[in-house]
Amino acid sequence: MSAATAHADTFARDHLPPREQWPEFRFDLPELRYPRRMNCAAVLLDDMVRAGHGGRVALRAPFGPEVYECTYAQLQAQAGRLANLLVRRMGLVPGNRVLLRGPNNPMMAAAWLGVFKAGGVCVGTMPLLRAKELTEIVNKAQVTHALCDKRLEAELKLALPDCPTLKEIRYWYADGADSIDSECCSLPARFENVDTLAEDVALIAFTSGTTGKPKGTVHFHRDVIAMCDCFPRSCLKPGPDDVFIGTPPLAFTFGLGGLLCFPLRFGASAALVEKLAPETLLESIDRFQATVLFTAPTMYRALAGLWKNHDLRSLKKCVSAGEALPDATRRLFRQASGIEIIDGIGATEMIHIFISHAPERARAGATGYAIPGYEAAVLDENGGRCAPGQVGRLAVKGPTGCRYLADERQKDYVRNGWNLTGDAYLMDGDGYFHYQARTDDMIISAGYNIAGPEVEDALLTHPAVAECAVVGAPDEERGMVVKAFVVLKPGTNPDEGTKSELQEHVKRSIAPYKYPRSVEFIHSLPRTETGKLQRFKLRNAT
């Protein structure tokens, strides 16, 4: 790989785990047998224009009372200008890491494609991330460049003093001669794509583990295309007239696939809306005549209660992922809409969904079956396959898989060629997989992965907190919520005012969605004789 790589900056490749720690990759389907050299932006965008889709709408977005529409040819031109900006004005060389920071809008979409074209490595970040979290990501990935929405400038600027590698930054939706908007006006739309290997790194997607330390999951150009050629091809079967819409940020691989890569791969379009609450999501489905929806189970539950107030006849298919879909939510939504939710489990480590089902093959209580291109199994503690009905660890292999960036946790996720997702499942006699629980301490709340220790660290910076522990507590609406058990320092009142103060403190310290929605004051934390915290006792108390 090293001799033919297009990357002059080989940091990402050099910090992959050793080959013997990689999972087994399988390319059994004909559509997964990719050429040795591949640039995913060329496949998703340039090939589609060449095939005659240039005049078709690729992206839609609200523009005041109007609808903004961007064709494939226009998106190709803007991505080309951004690639020229990166290379000609910002000094990017292939393999440099580029931080992308923005809400779901057409410029953010074009930025992803522009970085791919230029041979850079995309590092997407959610809009809600704070300076501390951005600093960890930038330093872990040794990010050198950034393209950022001007409205999200504040936290990035706060992070900069602790990010020595990040030297080149440009902002869009900004004034000034050095803004992306201004500079792109003077740059050519044509860009000669960097001739990357299919195994050159295209993106580093970050996820938080149980320790709260960010893990960078590395994905190649072929992985971006493989995620398009598995789940959507077998379960969604989209066509050129489909309009995709949804809530996950493009910085999540769930959103990157569902709201950008999948539509482009099939000549369809995506409606990108920056902020979506249940009511505005339904209004947007009607406004853009969306046909395919991507969101989390908690949103589907909220949508069911509002469904009758809107004309939603355009919507045909709904995809749920990010957390387990409760069967009660599936039934409630089907009763309100007449649509069978397509459930799925994916992982940032796998880039997208690997167990799901076609709508007509849904089964009550089951996530689905291994989609074509993937193999899944439930393994016992010794790595053997569990019998049908026996609970064990979910394991999967296929055309994508886990490669952590310079992280010793690689050996925990990949064993004997299998990717171990950290989920406990059982498989029935028909090959359907039924979710049981998480096998680690990750809290999954409304589709977001939240690491308890990170919330604990934020709480402990408050002067009133002596000790604390954070666990997930069951919640009917969100699946799970963050619950904090707090030991206060003497002299602090354990009242509602203190609870609110601690919650606001966490919101100011880290991404607001991670704050503890439940706070319980206790006199001491349960520990072993050696001083280790007994989290299971706290979980049992919820």
Side-chain angles (χ1 to χ4, degrees):
M1 187 165 97
S2 60
T5 179
H7 286 180
D9 178 349
T10 59
F11 170 86
R13 179 177 55 81
D14 294 342
H15 289 81
L16 288 169
R19 281 273 184 170
E20 60 269 20
Q21 292 183 14
W22 290 21
E24 177 188 338
F25 291 97
R26 302 182 59 168
F27 304 94
D28 300 334
L29 302 179
E31 55 265 34
L32 299 177
R33 293 166 193 161
Y34 302 115
R36 188 163 178 267
R37 306 203 76 89
M38 167 194 285
N39 184 302
C40 61
V43 175
L44 293 172
L45 193 53
D46 301 346
D47 287 358
M48 298 304 289
V49 172
R50 198 175 296 115
H53 290 276
R56 293 185 61 86
V57 175
L59 302 176
R60 306 166 194 268
F63 188 72
E66 306 298 323
V67 172
Y68 166 80
E69 293 185 343
C70 173
T71 67
Y72 275 77
Q74 290 169 331
L75 181 58
Q76 181 189 43
Q78 184 66 354
R81 292 187 187 98
L82 286 166
N84 277 310
L85 170 68
L86 286 161
V87 174
R88 297 188 183 191
R89 306 277 173 84
M90 299 175 68
L92 179 131
V93 299
N96 284 165
R97 276 74 57 213
V98 183
L99 191 80
L100 298 179
R101 184 155 172 74
N104 287 3
N105 57 39
M107 187 66 88
M108 182 68 165
W112 276 93
L113 296 161
V115 175
F116 289 151
K117 281 175 162 287
V121 177
C122 291
V123 182
T125 58
M126 289 190 300
L128 290 176
L129 293 187
R130 302 298 196 196
K132 176 179 179 292
E133 296 150 318
L134 292 172
T135 300
E136 291 174 339
I137 289 171
V138 168
N139 290 332
K140 179 78 173 181
Q142 295 287 281
V143 170
T144 56
H145 299 67
L147 302 178
C148 179
D149 190 304
K150 184 69 173 178
R151 295 167 294 174
L152 299 178
E153 176 185 27
E155 293 295 330
L156 182 57
K157 278 200 167 182
L158 286 174
L160 284 180
D162 297 314
C163 300
T165 61
L166 181 50
K167 301 295 187 184
E168 290 286 337
I169 304 173
R170 294 290 191 282
Y171 297 95
W172 72 79
Y173 297 162
D175 298 323
D178 62 346
S179 71
I180 291 174
D181 314 69
S182 297
E183 293 212 56
C184 280
C185 291
S186 61
L187 288 166
R190 189 177 183 281
F191 183 85
E192 190 70 31
N193 296 326
V194 172
D195 187 24
T196 49
L197 279 175
E199 282 199 352
D200 275 336
V201 178
L203 71 140
I204 302 172
F206 275 85
T207 182
S208 291
T210 55
T211 65
K213 295 179 181 178
K215 292 178 289 188
T217 65
V218 179
H219 297 292
F220 298 157
H221 281 265
R222 75 162 187 231
D223 300 328
V224 176
I225 305 304
M227 74 171 171
C228 302
D229 289 343
C230 289
F231 166 70
R233 190 179 296 275
S234 60
C235 298
L236 283 179
K237 300 179 175 61
D241 293 330
D242 276 310
V243 180
F244 289 65
I245 197 169
T247 59
L250 293 178
F252 275 166
T253 53
F254 181 41
L256 179 65
L259 300 180
L260 182 60
C261 298
F262 294 176
L264 294 182
R265 182 62 165 156
F266 294 91
S269 65
L272 299 178
V273 185
E274 294 187 358
K275 294 181 180 179
L276 286 171
E279 187 71 38
T280 54
L281 175 55
L282 292 173
E283 291 170 357
S284 297
I285 292 169
D286 183 17
R287 182 179 187 182
F288 295 103
Q289 290 295 286
T291 61
V292 183
L293 171 63
F294 279 69
T295 192
T298 49
M299 181 63 83
Y300 283 114
R301 191 169 187 87
L303 296 181
L306 301 169
W307 199 266
K308 62 181 181 296
N309 302 327
H310 298 270
D311 182 358
L312 302 165
R313 285 174 289 180
S314 67
L315 195 63
K316 305 302 180 187
K317 294 171 184 175
C318 295
V319 179
S320 173
E323 62 184 337
L325 175 67
D327 200 52
T329 299
R330 180 196 289 277
R331 293 197 305 270
L332 184 69
F333 185 79
R334 185 174 59 227
Q335 183 178 2
S337 67
I339 299 173
E340 185 73 69
I341 295 175
I342 301 170
D343 194 11
I345 177 173
T348 308
E349 288 86 351
M350 302 297 296
I351 201 169
H352 219 277
I353 291 171
F354 49 84
I355 290 176
S356 186
H357 58 87
E360 65 275 11
R361 295 183 62 187
R363 177 168 294 189
T367 304
Y369 43 82
I371 62 175
Y374 287 90
E375 178 186 359
V378 177
L379 305 182
D380 60 27
E381 292 183 358
N382 298 318
R385 291 179 183 256
C386 293
Q390 181 183 349
V391 177
R393 297 179 300 171
L394 182 64
V396 62
K397 62 179 69 170
T400 62
C402 177
R403 291 168 300 248
Y404 286 138
L405 183 75
D407 201 305
E408 62 183 12
R409 289 169 287 186
Q410 176 75 16
K411 63 182 183 298
D412 298 324
Y413 202 94
V414 177
R415 296 185 188 176
N416 300 320
W418 290 100
N419 298 274
L420 301 177
T421 67
D423 298 283
Y425 264 81
L426 65 81
M427 185 178 72
D428 64 25
D430 297 323
Y432 279 76
F433 290 82
H434 299 250
Y435 176 77
Q436 305 299 298
R438 290 290 292 177
T439 57
D440 57 20
D441 289 328
M442 178 62 69
I443 301 165
I444 304 179
S445 181
Y448 288 102
N449 287 351
I450 303 169
E454 186 181 23
V455 184
E456 291 166 5
D457 288 343
L459 281 167
L460 288 170
T461 62
H462 192 282
V465 176
E467 285 189 294
C468 66
V470 169
V471 300
D475 179 78
E476 184 174 346
E477 180 184 356
R478 307 179 75 84
M480 191 176 286
V481 295
V482 177
K483 180 170 184 177
F485 292 87
V486 177
V487 179
L488 294 172
K489 292 179 180 177
T492 305
N493 292 325
D495 55 21
E496 291 300 316
T498 302
K499 285 184 182 180
S500 297
E501 185 179 331
L502 294 178
Q503 289 170 325
E504 291 302 316
H505 175 76
V506 172
K507 289 180 184 179
R508 291 191 298 269
S509 302
I510 56 177
Y513 67 82
K514 299 177 183 178
Y515 86 97
R517 293 176 180 269
S518 175
V519 177
E520 182 174 337
F521 297 115
I522 56 178
H523 294 295
S524 62
L525 297 176
R527 297 186 181 276
T528 65
E529 292 181 359
T530 59
K532 292 183 179 180
L533 181 65
Q534 295 174 307
R535 291 182 185 275
F536 72 93
K537 289 187 176 180
L538 297 175
R539 282 194 289 267
N540 291 342
T542 62

